[in-house]
Structure formats: structure tokens, C-alpha cells
Amino acid sequence: MEQGRITWPQLGMLMYLMVGATSVLIVPSVTAKYAHQDLWMTPFIGSVVGFVAIYMALRLYRYYPNQSIIQYGEHLLGKWIGGAANLVWLFFLWQNTGVILREYGEFIVGSVLLRTPQSVVSICLIFVCALAIRGGIEVLGKFALLITPLFLGFVIFIPLLLTPEMDVLQITPVLENGWKPVLKGSILPMEWFMEYVLVSFMLPYATGQQSPWRWLSLPIILMLGTMVLLNLTCLFVFGDLTSMYTFSVFNAAKYISLGNIIEHIEAIVMVLWIMGGFVQISSWYYILVIGTAQSFHIRDYRPLVFPIGILIVAMSLWIVNDLSEMTKLFATSGAVFAAVVQICYPALLLLIAWWKHKTGETKYRERPDSPSAT
Amino acid sequence: MTYPFFVAMCILLLLNGLFEWKRRRKTPIRELRAFFVLSALGWIVILYMAIFYKGPTPRDLIDFIFMPVYLWLNG
Amino acid sequence: MIIVPSAMPLQEASDANMVWSSEGKENVKNLENIFHHCSDIVFFSFSFQGGQQASLIYVDGMVDNLQIDEHVIEPLVTRYEQDSEEDGVTVESVRRTLTAVKVKTHTTMQEVVELMLSGMTILIPHQSDTAFSIEAIQFDKRSVTEPDAESVVRGPRDGFVETMQSNTSLLRRRIRSPKLKIQPIKRGKLTHTTINLVYMEGLASEQLLEEVKRRLDNITLESILDSGYVEQCLEDNPYSPFPQLLTTERPDVASSHLLEGRVVILVDGSPVALIAPALWVSFLQSPEDYYERHFFGTIVRWLRYASIFVALLGPSIYVAVISYHQEMIPTALILTMAKARAQVPFPALVEALLMELMFEALREAGARLPKQVGSAVSIVGALVIGQAAISAGLVSAPMVMVVAITGVASFIVPHYNLGISVRLLRFPIILLSGFLGLIGTMMGFILLVTHLLTLKSFGVPYLTGVAPFRSSMMKDILIRQPVWVENMTKETDQMQNAEQSSDKANQGNGLG
């Protein structure tokens, strides 16, 4: 299977980009629709879900080291139910990767390359990601380590450069309509923070003496900070109009103007964003490939990379017809689907594992010579 | 989806097949089978997209299963 | 000079003539048959003082005739004395006479032929069954001068030459330690080239040495004419556009890498030494960084890092911005650019490719130029291509500026082989950015970085120092730490650690 190893800091950076790169693409706009000027509070509520997710992943990892959720799912639920659950997981991964690719495709085609067909952009992005994945998880980890400073740089610079345009009073009145709109607006951030449970696929490949908790909480805190910062930026710049634009942060970046020389640098913003997006798409793609290989007990995942890439491109164009449908999907049934797969199912597995552990069944140890050992 | 997209994807699938055909002696039978199944699945999906482009999408599937749950949670 | 017995048998000579007989005269006859039609092989017959016949065989042009006359022929002709009638010509009697020179005895045809072709003089007494080889080698060689491609403002100005003896002595004079080991290997079925593996015992890791030896042993080429042949056989990934071995003509560069625990490979007949393993950051270091003061070294290093980005991505960013993201250019500038580009019939992509190709052609032509036509080509380059093309409206002035700037930037890379890679990799990225704007540039950049992340040089990841981030190496990458702070041994330990755990992520100090 995968012989490479990544360190905990690399894993942390990878998780941050994997979940956080799209979290500031369309999320501010949708949260603004529900929570209005209280949208900066929503990531805090969402981050609780994030901590729950990594807690579950780490506990299950402690019971089943060197295995991912697909593998111990099969162990805990048996061959047929586990297999069915894995298929649902694979479908979820496939669908979500397609959605992410679609988000970036819409972003690029809608803002910059207006006359390029979206399929071209999608195919190019997936091709680049496929080549990166074939190098193994080490390439992903090192790349994440290189790109995260760039991404964080742009996260800090956009608010910094926009300070002339900001109006801090937009944040008032605080909690105008009470907590209910805030909770309703938190659905989307929660949906994003849930994705941290996917770290269970990467945990078998992490080595090093550093503390897992520290380096997995760091991305959650970073992402929390990113979301709050950029949500506040959009709020201060646009006020109530935040919900009007689909890509709020990008539109805010259009207003950066420094001395009439540095203007309209949104293309650079977009490039840095796409770099983060590249890591994100590659990680999801990688998890989908590894998940498929593990479900069907295939040793070498490399021949599977390109066909799955084509499937992802197809899914990205198939799943929804346009952005408004995608937003609706996020806000309604998509959220429930994501919660069931990412929170309820691991919680169920954790419960069963705890019960088995408690009743003293020692058969959960993986035999070293069985074919699904990594 | 439009026909140029379908043709382009078919070409990509063929190129991929050629690339793996050259290496078919080196890869074990399980991987070859998986590759074939996934390529076939991909081809079926894009064929479906080309023919039934107004037909149901995976989103409809998700809606069908989870929309009642969402409405129950809300109401 | 150490002559190394070849691992490969001579196949050019026919088997019938390769036997050694106990009669010296037979052997001479066989040698004459082997070297039939070789007019530069001299067979010189003479008699010893007591009347015994002997033949002296050597390659004309590779021996010191004076030394042979004075120290071989003259003593044998005037002072040779047989031990006794029965023994005939014995080894001891000849040795006793030839005390002034180094003499060895041989009894196989293979050895004799090899040694003769390496420049030794062979003495075969007709009544003896042994041949004697005498070392009196002298041939024309280039004097030690500063290499043209790697000159410095301040620093030593000697460079390797084509003779192995001179090269090893240049290294030995710098590192006067018995720990400097030089191991010879002979490769090349027809050329029988000597390859020397040079390393510091204790500093170079065992794994590295074994791996290098293994790869050298696996070379089965027929001819090795230059170290480039050896380099191409030793590389981890021959399909990569990036070089995985450092090349240098300077003994001080080679010595400094030796002292860091790397291995130097010298090939006879080539002034270019190979250094393994090579990291991306090594290609961006010049010896002058170390000879000047540390402040200068640091600043020039940063300049180099910036230049490599400009050289790689400069034209692509220009094409992308002009074609897709015109709003990024400040208003005043865009008016002049629009005016300059108004008459040009080609889109920016075509213009850029055309000019870059022209620049590469000029550069290549300039490298092979005979001196007589040098000035003519410079005039053609400057006037015709630059000025006239703009006046004719074929290209725009900003494009020529961009091409010139990137050209200058690409020559800042101290090592030519990385410079070529960067120059050639520009073209696909220009194409990508012409089609997809800054996204295309970014994709090209990502593909490049992905490839670099998977590249290894003798087991060490190519981007060590940056990608597996080693904070201890930052003192030599980001800044040039003053010499009085540098602790070379610690860095060598890091190198050894990096090599020993090639695939596993290290529990290093710091990130990554």
C-alpha cells in the first residue's frame, strides 16, 4: 500500500488546507444570509464539531492503529454491513470531491477565465492533482508544508490591505435576532468542520514524536481564526451586502487599492487560493483512492488514480446544475448526509469498539499477515 | 452535458487505457480488474450524462433520502 | 602512477595472438601481430652488453624518450652483466642494471598490452619469458588554468585538467589528510577509462559509498569519453529535467564538498568532476559566497533565489497578465504597453515563444562560435533581432525587455546544468500560461514542485533543507553563516542522517 510517512506538523498543515481552503470561498455568503451581522460567531460553534471529529478519529485510531475507518469499519460491522457502509462512505467521498472541484471550477470560470469551459479547468486541475498523488502521501505532506505559509500569508494580508475600506460599526447590533439565526447559520461551518474526521485515513501514515492532539488541534484553531477573520473582513467591507455576492472574500479583495499602483490584484489572490485548493483536492482525491483500494483489498493504488480522476470530473459536472443548487444542497440535505456519514457513523463505530474493548474481546488486533495491512 | 465533453472524456479514457496497457505485465491482476471496473464505471457515468442530461443526478438521490430527515429536523 | 588492471578482457585482439610463450621472441612477434597497422607503436630492437637481444616496445608520443635513452638503453647496452651462462637473462640481472627506474615484471599478454596502451615502456629480452614494464610516461597535457565556465572574482584560479594524475594531485594538495581516499575503477569496454572515487573516510557514509560503487560497477558502456557519460549512467532519474549530480571544474569546490561528506567522481580524460549526492540548494551556491564576507554572501544568495523565480516564471507571468489579467497592470503602464503592442500581429503567447526561441538559438550559437565570427553574430543579435524586429512591428519592446531580463536572470545560476534546465522549463510554462492565464502558470509551477518533491539524488530527497525542513541547514541556505560560527561536522551528521533515513520522515529538530 502506501510506504511513505509524513510527520505530525505536515499532517496538521495538510488537514488545515484540506478543510479550510474552501471554507472561506462561499461559506461567508451563505452564513450571512441566515445570521446577518452575527456571522462571525458561527465558526466558534462549528469548531466544537471539529474537536468532536478529531476526538473520535483519535480514539478509534487508538483502538485500531494502522487502520483507516474503512478497514476497522469492516472489522466492527462484519463483511456485509461493513461493506455496505464502506460503499456509502465511498459515495460520500466521491460526491464531496466532485463538489469541491465544482466549487473551484465555478470560482475560476466565474471570476477570471470567463470564456473557458468549466470542464477544461476541471480536467487540468484533476490532472495536476493526479500526478501529485501518484508520488504518494509524502509529496502531499511536503507540499502542504510549503503552501500553508503562502495561504496564511494571503489570509492575513487581505484584511490588512482592506483596512481603509472597513467600517467596524457594521458588526452592530450584536445578536439582533437572538441565537436562532446564528445557529441556523452555523450549519455550514459545522458541515465543514466535520470533515476533520477524514484525518483517520492519514493517521496510519503519521510518524514522529510530536503530540497528535497538539498538531491536530492546531489546524482547527487556525481554521477558526481564518474563518472569523475573513468573515469579519467581509462584514466590515460590505455590511449587509455580504449575502449578495457568492464569493464574498474574492469580491472584497477586488477593492484593495494601494496608492494607485497595487490595484485589482484579485488574480494573485485567486492564484494563492487555488494553490490551497490544489492541496485540498489532492487530499480528498487521495483519500478516495486509498479508500477504494482498502475497500476492495487492492494492494497498489496507483493504477486507480486516473480512472477515479475521470469519475471525479464527471461527478463535478453532474452533481448540480449551478451554484444556487449547490448552495441549497449544502444547506439542506447535503448537511444531513454529511452529518450521518461523518459524525453518526464514526460515533456508532466508536461505541461498538468501546463495547468490544470493555467486554474483553481481543480480536480487534489486526493480524500482521492479512492482506489489508498497510 | 454537451457532446464535445463526452468525446474529450472518451479520448482521455482511451489514453489512460493505453498507458496502462503498456504496463499490464507489471501490474497484478487485482489492480487491472479494479482499473477496468473503474474505467467502465466512469464511461457509464459520462454516457449517462451525455444521454440523460436532464435526468436525475446524485443530488436528487441525496435529496430523496435525506430531505425528509432534514424537514423532520426542522419542523 | 597506478595502473589498474582492467576488469574487462581485451576483445579487440584475436585470441591466437593473446598467448604468452616462454620464448621472448615469440612474444614480440605476437605483439607485432596484435599491433599490426599501428604506426605509432614503436618496436625497437637492441642488444645488451653481452650480446643478448631484446626489444623495447612503446607508444610514440606517450613516453619520455630522454629518460628511456639514459636510464634504460644506456645501462643495458654498456653495463649489463649476466649472472651465469646457464640462467640466461634473469629478472634480477636486469633489475640490477636498471636501478634508476621503476621496473615491474609481467607474464601475461593481457597485462602487457594494457600497460603499453597506458604509456608504459615494455622491455622483452628475447631469451627470457618475462616482460618488464618501465614507467617513463610523458605526454602533452593542458596546463592548469582557471575554468572558463566557473570563474570567480576572488578565489583560487586552478581548475581540473584532462589528466587523472594532475587532478588527484590538485585534490591531495588541498586536503593533506590520509583520510582522503581515492579508489580507482576501470570502465568502458573499448576506452578502458579510469574512474576515481574520491571520499573522506569517516565523513562520507557507508551507504552512500556502497551505492555509488554499485552504480559505477553497473556501467557497461563501450566507450566513456567524458564524465557526462558516467553522470548519465549514475543518475537516479534520467528522465528528469533536473540534474542530480553536481559538476564542477574547480578543485576547491570539489574539496569543500568532500569535506561535507560527499563523494567526488573523477573521470580520466575529462576535466569535469562529478559530486554525489547533489541537492537543489547546492546548485544555487557559488564558491565566491564563501570567500567574500558573509554579508555579501547572504545578499547575493537572496538575489540568486529571486532570479531563479524570475528566470522560470518571468515570461509566463508577463504573457498571462497581458492576455488575461490586464486589470492588474497600473493604468499609466498599461497605456504605454498597449501603444507598444498595437502594431504587433501576434498574440502575446506567440510573441513570447518566438523571442525566447530566438534567444536560445543565439545563446547556443554563441557558445559554439569560432572567434573570427564572434563580433558579426553579436551585431546580428543586437541590431537585427532586437531593434529591427521592434521597428518592423514583429515584436513589441516590452517583450524584448522581458526576454532580456529573464535571460540575464537565468545566467545568475552558478551551475550551468541547472541553468539549462530552468531555461528549457520556461517553454512549457509559457505555453500553459498562454492558454490558462495565471492559473496555467500556477499549474505549471505546481507540477514542477511536485516533480522536485519526488526526486531523489542517491537516496537523499532533492529538496532536503526546504521540504524536509532542516532548521540546521537553514544557516547555509537562507543566509551564509560567518565562517567562525559554522560547524561543519554537525552539518555532516545531518547529511548522514538524511541519507540513512531516506524514505521515512525524520524526527528532526523543527518542522517536517
Side-chain angles (χ1 to χ4, degrees):
Chain A
M1 194 61 89
E2 172 69 63
Q3 301 298 327
R5 294 288 179 262
I6 60 175
T7 62
W8 290 104
Q10 285 174 353
L11 182 58
M13 298 300 116
L14 191 63
M15 293 311 295
Y16 168 65
L17 281 178
M18 182 170 128
V19 183
T22 39
S23 66
V24 282
L25 201 58
I26 57 176
V27 174
S29 155
V30 180
T31 14
K33 203 156 59 145
Y34 295 115
H36 304 291
Q37 68 271 17
D38 297 324
L39 65 98
W40 57 276
M41 293 194 233
T42 53
F44 288 102
I45 304 175
S47 61
V48 173
V49 179
F51 283 111
V52 168
I54 62 168
Y55 171 75
M56 286 198 292
L58 280 175
R59 279 312 297 266
L60 280 167
Y61 181 66
R62 207 130 57 90
Y63 286 134
Y64 289 93
N66 297 330
Q67 287 186 53
S68 71
I69 198 167
I70 295 257
Q71 289 168 322
Y72 50 70
E74 210 172 305
H75 265 107
L76 288 170
L77 295 174
K79 194 159 157 217
W80 293 107
I81 309 182
N86 286 344
L87 277 179
V88 174
W89 249 90
L90 287 179
F91 176 70
F92 168 72
L93 287 172
W94 181 28
Q95 178 249 341
N96 226 330
T97 316
V99 163
I100 292 174
L101 185 61
R102 179 62 178 266
E103 279 181 52
Y104 281 109
E106 290 281 350
F107 178 39
I108 295 175
V109 166
S111 321
V112 179
L113 297 177
L114 297 159
R115 287 156 71 175
T116 312
Q118 203 178 85
S119 39
V120 171
V121 173
S122 302
I123 292 176
C124 287
L125 273 176
I126 282 287
F127 182 69
V128 174
C129 295
L131 289 180
I133 287 175
R134 282 177 74 100
I137 197 171
E138 281 192 350
V139 174
L140 279 182
K142 290 178 192 168
F143 211 92
L145 205 59
L146 286 174
I147 296 288
T148 309
L150 281 175
F151 191 79
L152 282 174
F154 113 83
V155 163
I156 295 178
F157 272 111
I158 293 184
L160 215 62
L161 294 172
L162 277 173
T163 31
E165 312 275 338
M166 288 196 197
D167 175 19
V168 186
L169 290 177
Q170 295 280 7
I171 203 174
T172 56
V174 180
L175 285 177
E176 183 179 3
N177 294 326
W179 280 106
K180 203 149 187 283
V182 178
L183 287 172
K184 209 159 191 272
S186 304
I187 294 183
L188 240 62
M190 275 202 273
E191 201 174 327
W192 255 257
F193 274 101
M194 281 187 223
E195 293 169 2
Y196 273 98
V197 86
L198 262 76
V199 78
S200 76
F201 281 93
M202 317 270 211
L203 286 172
Y205 309 118
T207 63
Q209 309 288 29
Q210 295 96 333
S211 143
W213 266 109
R214 186 152 145 247
W215 285 103
L216 286 180
S217 312
L218 180 71
I220 296 187
I221 297 173
L222 267 178
M223 187 166 145
L224 178 63
T226 310
M227 285 181 90
V228 170
L229 190 62
L230 289 176
N231 279 356
L232 281 174
T233 310
C234 293
L235 183 63
F236 291 155
V237 172
F238 289 130
D240 260 340
L241 289 176
T242 316
S243 48
M244 285 287 160
Y245 297 109
T246 335
F247 303 116
S248 308
V249 179
F250 181 69
N251 275 298
K254 284 189 183 172
Y255 287 91
I256 295 179
S257 163
L258 279 186
N260 281 348
I261 300 281
I262 302 191
E263 285 190 327
H264 289 293
I265 58 168
E266 63 261 18
I268 300 183
V269 165
M270 183 197 59
V271 165
L272 291 173
W273 214 325
I274 302 290
M275 282 216 191
F278 162 75
V279 178
Q280 180 171 19
I281 300 175
S282 302
S283 331
W284 278 85
Y285 189 172
Y286 178 78
I287 290 178
L288 178 57
V289 169
I290 287 276
T292 317
Q294 286 170 352
S295 304
F296 300 113
H297 302 290
I298 298 171
R299 265 201 188 283
D300 180 16
Y301 64 85
R302 292 179 62 195
L304 308 179
V305 170
F306 285 113
I308 293 186
I310 292 183
L311 276 170
I312 295 176
V313 174
M315 173 60 90
S316 79
L317 295 161
W318 191 28
I319 180 136
V320 283
N321 286 327
D322 53 49
L323 264 181
S324 62
E325 272 193 37
M326 180 156 48
T327 322
K328 248 188 353 149
L329 180 66
F330 281 142
T332 58
S333 48
V336 183
F337 184 34
V340 164
V341 170
Q342 289 175 306
I343 300 285
C344 304
Y345 177 70
L348 179 69
L349 286 184
L350 190 60
L351 215 65
I352 299 179
W354 174 78
W355 179 254
K356 279 197 171 165
H357 183 64
K358 195 156 187 284
T359 59
E361 261 194 50
T362 52
K363 283 195 73 178
Y364 60 77
R365 280 277 157 210
E366 170 80 355
R367 287 201 309 272
D369 51 39
S370 75
S372 62
T374 46
Chain B
M1 273 302 115
T2 51
Y3 282 108
F5 169 71
F6 176 69
V7 169
M9 296 296 258
C10 284
I11 294 178
L12 284 176
L13 273 170
L14 277 170
L15 281 174
N16 195 12
L18 239 92
F19 178 66
E20 287 295 330
W21 184 257
K22 277 177 66 180
R23 298 165 31 133
R24 75 184 185 285
R25 296 209 194 282
K26 282 196 237 164
T27 49
I29 185 75
R30 258 209 127 112
E31 277 82 353
L32 286 175
R33 253 190 264 159
F35 170 81
F36 185 70
V37 166
L38 284 170
S39 301
L41 183 61
W43 192 71
I44 293 175
V45 168
I46 56 182
L47 196 64
Y48 180 86
M49 282 168 70
I51 300 180
F52 298 108
Y53 57 89
K54 286 208 196 299
T57 65
R59 178 190 166 232
D60 294 320
L61 176 69
I62 300 176
D63 273 351
F64 177 68
I65 301 179
F66 290 103
M67 193 57 108
V69 183
Y70 174 75
L71 291 173
W72 172 74
L73 281 173
N74 244 9
Chain C
M1 175 170 135
I2 300 174
I3 311 288
V4 182
S6 179
M8 289 169 279
L10 290 167
Q11 288 163 347
E12 314 87 76
S14 72
D15 294 320
N17 286 321
M18 288 296 282
V19 292
W20 188 259
S21 81
S22 54
E23 182 70 32
K25 209 162 169 158
E26 278 288 312
N27 294 329
V28 175
K29 226 180 165 51
N30 284 341
L31 278 171
E32 275 176 1
N33 285 337
I34 292 174
F35 288 108
H36 194 48
H37 281 316
C38 297
S39 64
D40 57 335
I41 313 279
V42 177
F43 289 83
F44 176 67
S45 300
F46 64 105
S47 331
F48 292 172
Q49 210 229 355
Q52 299 90 344
Q53 292 276 31
S55 286
L56 206 60
I57 308 157
Y58 57 88
V59 180
D60 190 19
M62 272 169 92
V63 299
D64 186 357
N65 288 314
L66 200 63
Q67 211 180 10
I68 294 197
D69 278 341
E70 281 183 9
H71 298 294
V72 177
I73 301 183
E74 210 239 320
L76 285 173
V77 167
T78 54
R79 292 192 295 272
Y80 178 72
E81 268 181 33
Q82 241 176 241
D83 287 332
S84 60
E85 260 317 307
E86 308 85 54
D87 292 336
V89 178
T90 57
V91 173
E92 293 78 32
S93 54
V94 174
R95 266 199 211 263
R96 219 180 21 231
T97 324
L98 297 177
T99 48
V101 296
K102 290 195 292 278
V103 170
K104 283 202 186 129
T105 56
H106 307 278
T107 45
T108 50
M109 186 60 86
Q110 161 118 342
E111 275 180 49
V112 166
V113 172
E114 269 179 41
L115 288 170
M116 206 183 72
L117 289 171
S118 305
M120 305 282 255
T121 312
I122 306 289
L123 172 70
I124 303 185
H126 286 192
Q127 291 139 3
S128 165
D129 63 344
T130 37
F132 300 87
S133 70
I134 297 142
E135 187 172 330
I137 302 179
Q138 186 195 59
F139 46 76
D140 297 322
K141 57 188 179 194
R142 192 162 61 98
S143 61
V144 173
T145 52
E146 184 175 28
D148 283 326
E150 282 179 71
S151 53
V152 290
V153 174
R154 169 182 177 164
R157 291 179 195 281
D158 49 358
F160 287 130
V161 289
E162 286 77 8
T163 331
M164 181 63 83
Q165 223 173 349
S166 315
N167 293 345
T168 47
S169 78
L170 281 169
L171 283 176
R172 186 65 77 180
R173 269 187 286 161
R174 280 196 160 73
I175 307 180
R176 294 171 209 243
S177 159
K179 287 210 175 143
L180 179 69
K181 307 291 179 191
I182 304 182
Q183 283 187 353
I185 301 173
K186 231 183 199 168
R187 288 275 144 224
K189 290 203 196 88
L190 290 174
T191 53
H192 296 282
T193 318
T194 311
I195 302 176
N196 270 335
L197 193 67
V198 186
Y199 60 95
M200 293 290 288
E201 185 184 31
L203 286 178
S205 80
E206 287 297 323
Q207 269 177 311
L208 177 65
L209 285 171
E210 268 180 47
E211 181 63 25
V212 176
K213 277 192 208 143
R214 191 186 65 84
R215 291 191 198 185
L216 281 173
D217 284 333
N218 279 341
I219 299 179
T220 53
L221 294 175
E222 294 237 319
S223 63
I224 296 181
L225 295 174
D226 183 70
S227 57
Y229 287 61
V230 176
E231 179 191 359
Q232 288 162 50
C233 290
L234 289 182
E235 281 190 327
D236 282 68
N237 187 345
Y239 295 112
S240 165
F242 292 98
Q244 288 132 56
L245 281 115
L246 209 56
T247 56
T248 181
E249 279 185 62
R250 298 180 61 94
D252 53 327
V253 171
S255 315
S256 77
H257 283 290
L258 276 173
L259 293 168
E260 283 182 10
R262 301 201 179 96
V263 166
V264 172
I265 298 168
L266 294 169
V267 176
D268 192 19
S270 169
V272 179
L274 303 171
I275 302 175
L279 302 177
W280 166 260
V281 292
S282 332
F283 287 95
L284 295 174
Q285 292 173 349
S286 143
E288 191 149 11
D289 295 347
Y290 293 91
Y291 300 144
E292 297 285 356
R293 305 176 71 242
H294 67 97
F295 190 59
F296 176 79
T298 308
I299 297 287
V300 172
R301 234 167 231 189
W302 290 348
L303 182 66
R304 240 179 250 137
Y305 297 146
S307 309
I308 217 180
F309 270 108
V310 170
L312 193 62
L313 299 175
S316 333
I317 294 183
Y318 175 75
V319 166
V321 168
I322 283 279
S323 311
Y324 292 91
H325 311 288
Q326 298 92 344
E327 68 270 5
M328 274 174 59
I329 309 176
T331 325
L333 191 55
I334 201 162
L335 290 173
T336 37
M337 274 189 172
K339 203 162 58 155
R341 290 212 68 235
Q343 323 156 298
V344 179
F346 310 119
L349 171 65
V350 175
E351 211 186 332
L353 285 174
L354 211 63
M355 283 306 294
E356 290 286 350
L357 277 173
M358 194 95 295
F359 185 79
E360 288 298 313
L362 252 179
R363 182 195 57 76
E364 186 63 28
R368 319 266 160 248
L369 227 35
K371 283 205 185 55
Q372 295 88 340
V373 295
S375 47
V377 172
S378 328
I379 296 174
V380 165
L383 288 183
V384 172
I385 291 167
Q387 194 51 44
I390 299 176
S391 317
L394 285 173
V395 293
S396 59
M399 179 55 76
V400 176
M401 276 292 305
V402 167
V403 168
I405 292 175
T406 50
V408 166
S410 69
F411 287 119
I412 292 188
V413 178
H415 285 95
Y416 186 66
N417 40 8
L418 189 69
I420 305 180
S421 311
V422 166
R423 273 193 284 278
L424 291 179
L425 283 170
R426 267 199 304 224
F427 289 93
I429 302 189
I430 295 179
L431 265 176
L432 270 175
S433 57
F435 286 120
L436 289 172
L438 275 182
I439 304 274
T441 315
M442 186 211 65
M443 278 195 218
F445 183 69
I446 287 181
L447 276 173
L448 215 63
V449 174
T450 309
H451 175 69
L452 279 173
L453 284 172
T454 54
L455 207 56
K456 285 187 158 73
S457 172
F458 286 85
V460 184
Y462 202 61
L463 288 180
T464 304
V466 179
F469 185 83
R470 305 240 174 273
S471 46
S472 60
M473 280 175 79
M474 276 296 134
K475 68 184 197 314
D476 211 19
I477 296 175
L478 209 53
I479 60 170
R480 200 229 90 196
Q481 199 179 44
V483 175
W484 34 270
V485 179
E486 266 180 25
N487 188 346
M488 282 303 183
T489 324
K490 253 197 227 159
E491 196 173 283
T492 318
D493 284 341
Q494 287 285 349
M495 278 298 313
Q496 287 182 327
N497 283 339
E499 287 153 17
Q500 278 161 12
S501 55
S502 51
D503 270 324
K504 298 183 194 157
N506 228 348
Q507 301 128 354
N509 41 346
L511 300 173

